[in-house]
Amino acid sequence: MHELEVHYRELMAPKVQADSGSMTNQESLESYLNGNKKQLDFTWEVKANDRAYHKQFKKRVAFCLTRKKYEDNTIKTAKYNALTFLPLNLYEQFHRLANLYFLFVILLQTVPEISTLPWFTLLLPLSCLLLLRGLRDLIDDIARHRSDWMINNRPCEILIGKSFSWKKWRDICVGDIICLRKDSFVPADLLLLSSSEPSSLCYVETADIDGETNLKFRQALLATHQELVSEASMAAFDGKVTCEEPNSRMHSFIGTLEWRGEKYSLDTEKILLRGCRIRNTETCYGLVIYAGLDSKIMKNCGKIKMKKTKLDRLMDRLVILIFVMLVITSFCLAFAAGFWAVKFQVEHSYLSSLYVGTSPAEQAFFTFWGFMILLSIIIPMSMYITFEFVYMVNSYFIDWDLEMYYPAKDMPAKARSTSLNDQLGQIEYIFSDKTGTLTQNIMTFKKCCINGIIYGTSDQYGALRKKASMSWNPYVDRTAEFHDPALLETVLQNDDPVVREFLRLLALCHTVMVEEKDTGQLVYQAASPDEEALVTAARNLGYVFLSRTQDTITLSELGMERTYGMLAMLDFNSVRKRMSILVRDPEGKIRLYTKGADMVILERLREDGSATAFTQLALDSFAEETLRTLCLASKEVKEKDYAEWSKKHHEASVLLQNRAQELDKVYEEMEQDLQLLGATAIEDKLQDGVPETIQLLKKGNIKVWVLTGDKQETAVNIGFACRLLTDDMQILEEKEICEMLEACWVSNNNLASSGERLCQFQQHSGVLHQGKMALVVTGDILEKVLGTGEKVKRKEGFWARLACCKAQTQPVADSSVEKAFVDLATGCQAVICCRVTPKQKALVVQLVKRHRSAITLAIGDGANDVNMIKTADIGVGISGQEGMQAVQCSDYALAQFRYLQRLLLVHGRWSYLRICKFLRYFFYKTFAGMMVQIWFAFYSGFTAQPLYEGWFLALYNVFYTAYPVLCMGLMEQDVSAEKSLQLPELYKVGQKDELFNYRVFCVTFLHGTVTSLGSFYIALWAFEDRVGSRVVGDYQSFAVTVATSAFLSVVAEIIMDIKFWTILTFLTIAGSLIFFCLFSFLTQNFPAFREAPTIFRFLDASQNALTDPYVLAIVLLCVVVNTIPSLTIRLLRVITGTGTIQDKISSRDLRVAESTVELKSHFRRGSLHRRSSYAFSHKEGYADLIARGASLRVKDSRSRGPVNAGSYQSIPLPTREGAASSPSVFLKECN
């Protein structure tokens, strides 16, 4: 134990020094990234088993208000509660200017002197509108409350007194010690104290945090590992942790533990984050450092924001514009009313008694407010109520779409927000997670090349033949897909030494742990899915990894058990890009087995033979199929060479400074003169339809950015696999990005006073303007760009400005460097951001929104994507393997990424089309019908007297013209769903705001004004000197004639504008005509007049007017004249070739076949500059754990059942020099 402790301290000491030494630069940079412009204070103190200590601390919130400093573990993601729902929801709703406008008009209606309608007639529809939106928000928030309740009530074991008790997550407090079992979720950010594993290791899966399912390990301090071995010792633990305040940095933690007069350094390797899942560890214990909303994952979640669409914001501005026009018009008419009153009093003095007590100024004042109320219906409240209904039904169309139903999970698409549908048709940038969103995170061994021969291409054998052929292997994993009869035959013949060495390498060179269930079944637990796929492939071919100890690895080779002595394991890291193992085989020979990226293996080979050339061709072929490749090589090591190397290795491993660099040099010395065995090809399985979806989205001018926490090589490989990256693209990486940003900054710094656009990246690259450039950027670069841009007048070095810890000036967010980065990134066809934190994902989205004013969509499936989903204009959650956190915070939920193409190109484009036509037509019919009131004012003495009957004003937007426009908002289509997917270029219309903008609004306003002029003045001209046979020439008949002309003109316009006719369309148009006739009869008959003559004033007005042939001729003339402009414009469009989408499509060749895109390699065959995506995805450090035996659980005997017992032989156990023999060790799971 003493030797282990010394070795442990030697290993940990330099790491602590390195962490503390690199703290200054990194902390200040990350501090600014998270909004803290001053250096972080290490003032967070946690005392174990002392709740009273933490309750005494308070922090000031605002003014004299304080709250407790240390949060409990209750989380609250909902926006409202019982007390705040009504005021907060009303506050949010009255952020809509239209609601404020309606409230203003209602207040005007309460003044009797200027009121033209009862105040409650406007209050009722506004209340309905607020109620509908409030209920929608309430339903969404209730779902959040339910989710919070389920999470807060999960069970956990908390140390209460001197024993552990089962409590709820919400009962956890800072300073508590909790016990976690295998496969349980971590409820808060914990300091790992001890575990049931050797050396208090704890294996965790971070799928809910960074999307990766590969295992990561955490290790407790040696002091707590040795001392905290019982409940009594846990209860007596009184250590004090001092660390940084709660923050959102997922990969950073710095603190110290003070206990028994000693101080111990703490880092991220000793912290279990909330949301992690315990794996391969029976029991572990942790001290709560951050709880609830203070935990790092919750700090990354961001706040729920009220999202408004682009059309919503445009409508707010149009309401202001219309209101200003209304005020100006009312003022002009009131001014005219004052002059008219003066003139009237002078010319008609005998009526002066009517004006006693009122001056012309007073009359003008009251007339102004009268016109304000009369013309207020130009912004109809019914439009907003109908608006909400159209949104809601279009959301149901998404829910009901069977093409987006995923039967494997019985999950349909779900529109969780009902107010963003039109914005789905305007997306310009998509920000996508990788793991679980684009990929299934399933690695499959697909092909291999051994000694120049490619295996894995044969698929001519059926499942029955496959099953029968593998019956000789009791350890076979029948879920594996790889099967090649030719390779299997070669393996069974056992006469090819290269094949033997190839499979032996797969079974030996790895960090996989093995569990054996009671049934004798072997279960591999790998730090990365790549390694598991390789070891499983060897297992299915008869080379089975059985168990390992600190010094040995035991295999079953074609039924014969062989034990290899492990002399050294040369660990993988991202610089070496390879991993090696030195073993002594049962015959006593020492062999080195190495696997790694093709570039690093091929340059270390002994010679270039024919097998090497064929292997390079195979690697080219694998790369074309976007498979993850590894090269495999080995060599025999002489005893003398090993003895010398072992001495150097030992000397390097005990260094206190530069240990890693010296070890790399020693490893490099051994990994030379290798003999190439072959190559493997692993497929990182994409979700179905991902490449096709991305291709369609790119054709629709939608740029896709991938934001992932994974390694750069893995992310780039997936980019090629899903066709986000193509072979003719120039890929910019860190070096090129830095150079281009520096050049741009220098240009801006030197020419800032010129006022010109300074930085043009096209000057730096000849391919950017051709759209053939892709950007691959890491989290480190983003950290600099997002966090430290400065505008400094004095000239400094570019990266000196980025290093904010050395800068003398305060950083500002909107920097020239930040702007330059956005210009560069948005000029590229594809962007991949790797090794990014959840916070950085959200910052990237904010960056594009701020500098490009673009509509963004974020899609992900894990808790690490929640902040990004909340930040984007549209958030889409994938119901993946990482839980439902992303779905719960999303606006739309899908089961697969491929459904995004239908959501955007079909439903999104249709919704945008429908909403735009709905708004355009609603404004048109309102202007066409209501602008008549202004023209009538010139003939009524500017008295604000309504032209129309009151019931016509009330029913015009509710019954007469509402249903055709409602049908258009629900059912309109320009092309079918199939054509929308075949022609994704049609999507660009929404991105350019072509269907509804200021220009379209002005044209609609002019069109409605012209229609109102035609309806009014044609009728006025006809009624001036002539009357009909029934003496139709009175005010009421004139009002009915104008109203009927305007109504029929509006109906005719919508008939011409509808492109997609259904039974519902016919019914709504017919219903509008029927309602007009029906309500005209009901409001103008004698019984109604007799009951309420002041309300039903137009007695038989329609019957008298519309039965006169002369009046009917006037109405017909008005309709014809009003429709001539629309018909003329449509004719000109057809003649000039700028017609509708249907016209454009009919002139195109619609033979859009499914074109299979052949992915070709963009590197020269045989070149060492091959795009290499090597199949490693585990972190550095596992090899050291295995070599020290820290991850191995000792068991005295094995219970594995006999397998070909007759073929087993007893083999002497070789060990490394000076080491005692260890018993056979493996992990066993008790079911």
Side-chain angles (χ1 to χ4, degrees):
M1 178 61 72
H2 177 69
E3 292 180 356
L4 177 62
E5 180 177 352
V6 171
H7 188 55
Y8 186 93
R9 292 185 184 276
E10 288 176 350
L11 288 176
M12 293 306 296
K15 184 171 184 179
V16 173
Q17 293 173 4
D19 287 343
S20 60
S22 62
M23 168 189 162
T24 305
N25 293 345
Q26 184 180 5
E27 285 304 307
S28 60
L29 192 59
E30 292 183 342
S31 174
Y32 178 76
L33 185 63
N34 292 280
N36 304 318
K37 298 184 180 181
K38 63 179 182 179
Q39 194 75 15
L40 286 179
D41 296 326
F42 292 86
T43 58
W44 192 261
E45 296 181 350
V46 178
K47 206 168 184 180
N49 295 317
D50 193 348
R51 290 189 175 185
Y53 175 79
H54 303 104
K55 289 181 180 179
Q56 64 181 333
F57 293 98
K58 304 288 183 181
K59 63 179 179 181
R60 189 167 63 181
V61 180
F63 301 105
C64 59
L65 300 177
T66 61
R67 68 177 183 183
K68 57 186 179 182
K69 178 180 179 180
Y70 296 91
E71 294 277 357
D72 57 27
N73 205 43
T74 303
I75 64 166
K76 303 178 184 69
T77 61
K79 293 171 62 176
Y80 316 109
N81 57 38
L83 295 178
T84 62
F85 171 73
L86 189 60
L88 188 56
N89 188 260
L90 287 176
Y91 172 77
E92 290 178 348
Q93 294 215 48
F94 280 108
H95 265 64
R96 297 174 182 264
L97 293 180
N99 292 343
L100 283 176
Y101 170 78
F102 295 139
L103 181 63
F104 172 72
V105 174
I106 289 173
L107 293 176
L108 290 181
Q109 288 284 22
T110 59
V111 181
E113 288 80 2
I114 60 175
S115 176
T116 57
L117 292 173
W119 61 270
F120 54 82
T121 58
L122 290 177
L123 181 62
L124 182 62
L126 179 61
S127 301
C128 293
L129 180 63
L130 297 177
L131 181 63
L132 285 174
R133 288 175 173 166
L135 286 176
R136 181 192 65 196
D137 294 338
L138 180 62
I139 292 171
D140 292 343
D141 211 56
I142 287 175
R144 297 189 192 100
H145 275 286
R146 288 176 178 172
S147 172
D148 292 345
W149 185 89
M150 292 176 62
I151 294 174
N152 291 329
N153 284 275
R154 288 176 176 174
C156 66
E157 291 182 83
I158 307 176
L159 182 62
I160 306 293
K162 294 186 178 181
S163 62
F164 285 94
S165 303
W166 283 100
K167 299 290 183 179
K168 306 292 186 183
W169 276 25
R170 65 169 182 261
D171 300 322
I172 296 174
C173 296
V174 172
D176 286 351
I177 294 178
I178 62 176
C179 174
L180 298 174
R181 307 288 180 178
K182 183 178 178 181
D183 294 331
S184 62
F185 285 98
V186 179
D189 291 349
L190 312 176
L191 168 64
L192 180 63
L193 298 177
S194 65
S195 77
S196 57
E197 296 299 302
S199 302
S200 281
L201 281 173
C202 180
Y203 296 95
V204 294
E205 181 186 278
T206 59
D208 276 350
I209 294 178
D210 55 18
E212 298 182 10
T213 56
N214 50 296
L215 297 183
K216 299 176 176 63
F217 68 87
R218 301 290 182 261
Q219 189 166 16
L221 288 167
L222 182 61
T224 57
H225 160 65
Q226 292 177 339
E227 299 295 334
L228 303 182
V229 295
S230 64
E231 290 189 3
S233 60
M234 293 282 182
F237 179 64
D238 60 352
K240 182 179 178 181
V241 173
T242 303
C243 61
E244 58 197 13
E245 292 283 326
N247 56 74
S248 61
R249 298 188 298 279
M250 302 293 297
H251 307 299
S252 172
F253 179 84
I254 297 177
T256 59
L257 170 65
E258 296 180 43
W259 186 38
R260 295 179 178 177
E262 297 288 337
K263 185 176 286 189
Y264 305 92
S265 176
L266 303 178
D267 56 19
T268 54
E269 300 302 315
K270 299 169 183 62
I271 300 298
L272 302 178
L273 297 181
R274 179 189 176 111
C276 294
R277 197 167 191 176
I278 306 300
R279 296 291 194 191
N280 295 351
T281 306
E282 293 298 330
T283 309
C284 67
Y285 301 90
L287 172 67
V288 178
I289 304 296
Y290 306 125
L293 298 177
D294 285 335
S295 61
K296 290 183 178 289
I297 188 65
M298 295 306 298
K299 287 288 185 181
N300 273 277
C301 283
K303 295 182 179 180
I304 298 175
K305 302 175 184 177
M306 186 179 69
K307 296 182 178 181
K308 296 182 69 174
T309 67
K310 205 171 184 179
L311 285 178
D312 267 340
R313 294 190 290 270
L314 177 61
M315 285 294 297
D316 286 343
R317 294 191 289 269
L318 289 179
V319 167
I320 296 176
L321 178 63
I322 294 174
F323 180 75
V324 171
M325 292 169 55
L326 180 61
V327 170
I328 294 173
T329 303
S330 299
F331 179 80
C332 293
L333 292 175
F335 189 75
F339 275 98
W340 191 90
V342 172
K343 180 181 177 181
F344 187 85
Q345 290 183 28
V346 171
E347 295 180 355
H348 304 279
S349 58
Y350 54 89
L351 297 177
S352 59
S353 59
L354 297 176
Y355 298 96
V356 175
T358 60
S359 64
E362 291 177 343
Q363 290 184 18
F365 176 78
F366 288 118
T367 301
F368 170 79
W369 294 110
F371 275 115
M372 286 290 294
I373 296 173
L374 180 64
L375 299 178
S376 65
I377 53 179
I378 289 180
I379 307 177
M381 200 175 301
S382 60
M383 179 179 73
Y384 285 89
I385 298 175
T386 312
F387 209 40
E388 292 296 318
F389 184 75
V390 169
Y391 270 122
M392 183 180 65
V393 175
N394 275 292
S395 297
Y396 284 133
F397 288 157
I398 295 175
D399 298 347
W400 297 336
D401 191 346
L402 293 179
E403 296 295 326
M404 294 195 294
Y405 171 73
Y406 188 52
K409 291 186 178 180
D410 188 27
M411 175 165 287
K414 177 66 177 176
R416 294 172 51 84
S417 173
T418 59
S419 59
L420 302 173
N421 299 333
D422 59 285
Q423 198 146 257
L424 289 172
Q426 298 180 282
I427 302 298
E428 297 175 63
Y429 292 88
I430 292 177
F431 300 90
S432 174
D433 180 38
K434 183 188 75 69
T435 307
T437 303
L438 299 177
T439 69
Q440 303 178 41
N441 204 32
I442 298 175
M443 304 298 174
T444 305
F445 190 92
K446 297 294 289 186
K447 295 182 179 182
C448 64
C449 175
I450 306 176
N451 203 19
I453 303 175
I454 297 179
Y455 299 97
T457 59
S458 175
D459 57 355
Q460 58 187 354
Y461 292 83
L464 185 62
R465 172 72 178 272
K466 175 181 175 180
K467 184 176 180 179
S469 63
M470 301 303 291
S471 59
W472 59 272
N473 187 357
Y475 296 112
V476 69
D477 181 358
R478 300 190 181 276
T479 62
E481 298 181 6
F482 178 80
H483 179 70
D484 191 302
L487 177 58
L488 183 60
E489 182 179 353
T490 304
V491 171
L492 292 177
Q493 289 176 358
N494 199 23
D495 57 1
D496 190 334
V498 178
V499 173
R500 279 199 305 269
E501 288 293 289
F502 182 93
L503 297 176
R504 195 170 284 156
L505 187 152
L506 294 181
L508 288 172
C509 188
H510 56 77
T511 59
V512 175
M513 305 300 294
V514 60
E515 289 182 295
E516 186 175 13
K517 295 184 177 294
D518 291 338
T519 58
Q521 179 185 0
L522 298 179
V523 178
Y524 291 146
Q525 298 290 346
S528 73
D530 304 271
E531 287 219 309
E532 183 180 357
L534 294 173
V535 177
T536 301
R539 167 183 175 174
N540 286 348
L541 292 171
Y543 285 73
V544 186
F545 168 54
L546 296 178
S547 64
R548 71 161 78 242
T549 71
Q550 181 178 350
D551 301 298
T552 65
I553 298 177
T554 302
L555 307 181
S556 171
E557 299 181 0
L558 300 178
M560 180 179 297
E561 189 167 317
R562 289 167 58 89
T563 301
Y564 294 81
M566 190 178 73
L567 304 178
M569 188 173 284
L570 287 57
D571 201 2
F572 160 84
N573 63 42
S574 57
V575 177
R576 284 170 34 78
K577 298 184 180 180
R578 61 190 182 275
M579 170 188 178
S580 301
I581 186 172
L582 264 171
V583 298
R584 189 186 299 275
D585 64 20
E587 290 76 24
K589 296 180 180 179
I590 299 176
R591 296 199 64 85
L592 174 75
Y593 294 102
T594 303
K595 64 180 181 182
D598 48 24
M599 292 184 296
V600 298
I601 298 296
L602 294 178
E603 64 187 14
R604 287 166 173 79
L605 297 182
R606 182 183 310 159
E607 58 184 12
D608 283 343
S610 59
T612 302
F614 282 116
T615 302
Q616 289 188 3
L617 292 174
L619 288 168
D620 289 351
S621 174
F622 297 158
E624 290 174 4
E625 300 176 51
T626 64
L627 301 175
R628 296 158 66 101
T629 58
L630 281 179
C631 277
L632 278 57
S634 70
K635 75 172 183 178
E636 184 175 342
V637 181
K638 297 178 181 179
E639 287 285 350
K640 179 182 178 182
D641 295 338
Y642 169 69
E644 294 178 359
W645 180 88
S646 180
K647 182 179 179 180
K648 295 179 182 178
H649 178 257
H650 176 72
E651 292 173 352
S653 63
V654 296
L655 290 176
L656 296 180
Q657 294 182 351
N658 300 323
R659 177 186 300 173
Q661 293 85 341
E662 293 301 319
L663 281 174
D664 284 348
K665 293 179 181 178
V666 175
Y667 293 165
E668 179 74 23
E669 183 180 332
M670 175 58 70
E671 294 167 331
Q672 297 294 333
D673 298 326
L674 301 175
Q675 180 65 44
L676 183 65
L677 300 176
T680 61
I682 291 179
E683 179 187 24
D684 188 356
K685 278 196 170 182
L686 295 174
Q687 290 190 10
D688 294 338
V690 167
E692 294 78 11
T693 300
I694 290 181
Q695 284 291 90
L696 278 178
L697 295 176
K698 289 169 69 175
K699 289 180 180 178
N701 197 36
I702 301 175
K703 294 185 178 180
V704 181
W705 292 23
V706 175
L707 311 180
T708 177
D710 214 336
K711 299 195 316 296
Q712 179 173 335
E713 294 79 7
T714 306
V716 170
N717 188 67
I718 292 300
F720 278 97
C722 65
R723 303 180 192 173
L724 178 64
L725 303 178
T726 56
D727 305 305
D728 55 352
M729 283 184 178
Q730 177 182 345
I731 298 179
L732 298 179
E733 297 186 356
E734 181 173 352
K735 182 179 178 181
E736 294 91 345
I737 295 171
C738 294
E739 291 175 353
M740 297 178 74
L741 290 180
E742 183 173 5
C744 179
W745 180 84
V746 170
S747 175
N748 285 345
N749 196 46
N750 293 335
L751 303 176
S753 60
S754 66
E756 301 175 358
R757 187 175 181 182
L758 305 176
C759 185
Q760 298 289 342
F761 286 107
Q762 286 83 347
Q763 299 173 2
H764 298 282
S765 174
V767 294
L768 183 58
H769 67 279
Q770 301 173 359
K772 297 298 183 181
M773 182 177 288
L775 196 70
V776 178
V777 61
T778 63
D780 293 336
I781 294 295
L782 287 176
E783 194 171 39
K784 297 175 183 178
V785 172
L786 295 176
T788 60
E790 303 172 20
K791 290 180 179 178
V792 186
K793 291 185 178 180
R794 68 175 182 270
K795 298 179 181 180
E796 298 177 350
F798 174 71
W799 294 111
R801 290 185 59 208
L802 289 182
C804 67
C805 58
K806 298 180 181 179
Q808 300 297 322
T809 56
Q810 291 295 327
V812 295
D814 188 15
S815 68
S816 58
V817 176
E818 186 179 280
K819 180 66 165 58
F821 174 78
V822 176
D823 290 340
L824 174 61
T826 54
C828 297
Q829 281 293 93
V831 176
I832 296 178
C833 302
C834 46
R835 307 306 280 173
V836 292
T837 65
K839 185 78 170 181
Q840 286 177 323
K841 290 184 178 183
L843 289 173
V844 170
V845 177
Q846 284 182 350
L847 200 66
V848 175
K849 289 175 65 177
R850 182 167 65 248
H851 290 285
R852 282 290 175 267
S853 300
I855 305 300
T856 59
L857 179 146
I859 180 170
D861 69 323
N864 58 317
D865 304 313
V866 167
N867 202 352
M868 174 178 71
I869 287 173
K870 290 180 179 178
T871 304
D873 296 297
I874 300 288
V876 179
I878 299 290
S879 55
Q881 300 176 352
E882 303 175 22
M884 299 294 287
Q885 291 92 335
V887 170
Q888 290 166 356
C889 298
S890 66
D891 304 306
Y892 298 89
L894 301 176
Q896 294 275 286
F897 181 86
R898 70 175 184 269
Y899 298 143
L900 192 62
Q901 59 175 298
R902 189 170 180 87
L903 181 68
L904 299 185
L905 302 181
V906 178
H907 290 284
R909 208 178 63 79
W910 280 353
S911 294
Y912 174 72
L913 170 73
R914 291 164 180 169
I915 295 297
C916 289
K917 295 189 76 170
F918 168 86
L919 290 174
R920 189 175 61 194
Y921 181 74
F922 217 110
F923 276 122
Y924 164 74
K925 72 185 184 65
T926 303
F927 292 142
M930 299 304 140
M931 291 288 286
V932 171
Q933 302 285 357
I934 298 176
W935 320 136
F936 182 67
F938 289 91
Y939 299 91
S940 62
F942 304 100
T943 57
Q945 176 187 351
L947 169 63
Y948 297 131
E949 178 192 13
W951 285 104
F952 180 84
L953 288 174
L955 299 175
Y956 179 75
N957 281 319
V958 177
F959 286 102
Y960 296 165
T961 59
Y963 297 110
V965 72
L966 175 62
C967 181
M968 176 182 284
L970 297 179
M971 309 300 295
E972 182 68 350
Q973 298 177 19
D974 52 354
V975 294
S976 65
E978 292 75 16
K979 291 294 189 295
S980 296
L981 295 175
Q982 289 178 357
L983 300 170
E985 297 84 0
L986 299 178
Y987 191 82
K988 299 176 184 179
V989 173
Q991 295 173 332
K992 299 176 181 178
D993 300 324
E994 291 184 3
L995 297 186
F996 193 78
N997 49 44
Y998 287 112
R999 183 188 64 81
V1000 172
F1001 174 78
C1002 292
V1003 171
T1004 302
F1005 172 75
L1006 291 176
H1007 189 191
T1009 302
V1010 170
T1011 300
S1012 67
L1013 287 170
S1015 300
F1016 181 81
Y1017 281 101
I1018 290 176
L1020 182 66
W1021 166 75
F1023 272 72
E1024 275 185 351
D1025 300 320
R1026 297 188 57 182
V1027 296
S1029 57
R1030 299 185 182 181
V1031 197
V1032 178
D1034 60 297
Y1035 154 71
Q1036 291 186 352
S1037 298
F1038 176 73
V1040 168
T1041 303
V1042 174
T1044 305
S1045 300
F1047 165 69
L1048 293 179
S1049 297
V1050 165
V1051 173
E1053 183 66 29
I1054 198 171
I1055 289 175
M1056 291 187 295
D1057 208 27
I1058 291 176
K1059 307 302 178 187
F1060 185 71
W1061 285 83
T1062 63
I1063 295 178
L1064 183 61
T1065 309
F1066 285 103
L1067 291 177
T1068 54
I1069 292 177
S1072 294
L1073 297 173
I1074 293 172
F1075 277 130
F1076 178 75
C1077 298
L1078 177 64
F1079 283 107
S1080 295
F1081 171 76
L1082 292 177
T1083 59
Q1084 297 176 11
N1085 59 47
F1086 185 75
F1089 175 78
R1090 183 175 56 189
E1091 293 294 329
T1094 58
I1095 298 177
F1096 302 97
R1097 299 179 177 180
F1098 278 52
L1099 177 61
D1100 291 333
S1102 296
Q1103 182 177 355
N1104 292 332
L1106 299 181
T1107 54
D1108 189 329
Y1110 181 73
V1111 173
L1112 293 177
I1114 295 172
V1115 171
L1116 179 61
L1117 178 62
C1118 289
V1119 173
V1120 171
V1121 171
N1122 289 335
T1123 55
I1124 284 177
S1126 295
L1127 291 174
T1128 303
I1129 292 174
R1130 284 175 169 80
L1131 180 62
L1132 290 175
R1133 285 179 176 175
V1134 173
I1135 294 174
T1136 58
T1138 59
T1140 62
I1141 292 177
Q1142 286 89 342
D1143 300 328
K1144 295 177 182 178
I1145 292 176
S1146 61
S1147 64
R1148 291 184 55 176
D1149 183 11
L1150 293 181
R1151 293 174 297 174
V1152 183
E1154 285 293 332
S1155 58
T1156 57
V1157 179
E1158 181 183 358
L1159 297 179
K1160 297 182 179 179
S1161 176
H1162 69 278
F1163 49 80
R1164 298 186 305 274
R1165 295 188 180 276
S1167 170
L1168 293 183
H1169 299 286
R1170 177 183 296 105
R1171 172 176 59 80
S1172 172
S1173 178
Y1174 52 92
F1176 275 116
S1177 60
H1178 65 274
K1179 64 177 291 185
E1180 183 180 2
Y1182 280 93
D1184 182 62
L1185 292 176
I1186 293 172
R1188 292 189 284 116
S1191 61
L1192 302 173
R1193 188 181 305 141
V1194 179
K1195 187 173 178 66
D1196 294 333
S1197 60
R1198 292 207 307 260
S1199 58
R1200 188 187 305 116
V1203 179
N1204 292 346
S1207 63
Y1208 279 79
Q1209 61 179 356
S1210 177
I1211 303 171
L1213 180 65
T1215 62
R1216 53 178 109 169
E1217 290 77 7
S1221 298
S1222 301
S1224 184
V1225 178
F1226 60 96
L1227 299 178
K1228 185 173 179 65
E1229 178 181 8
C1230 297
N1231 295 325

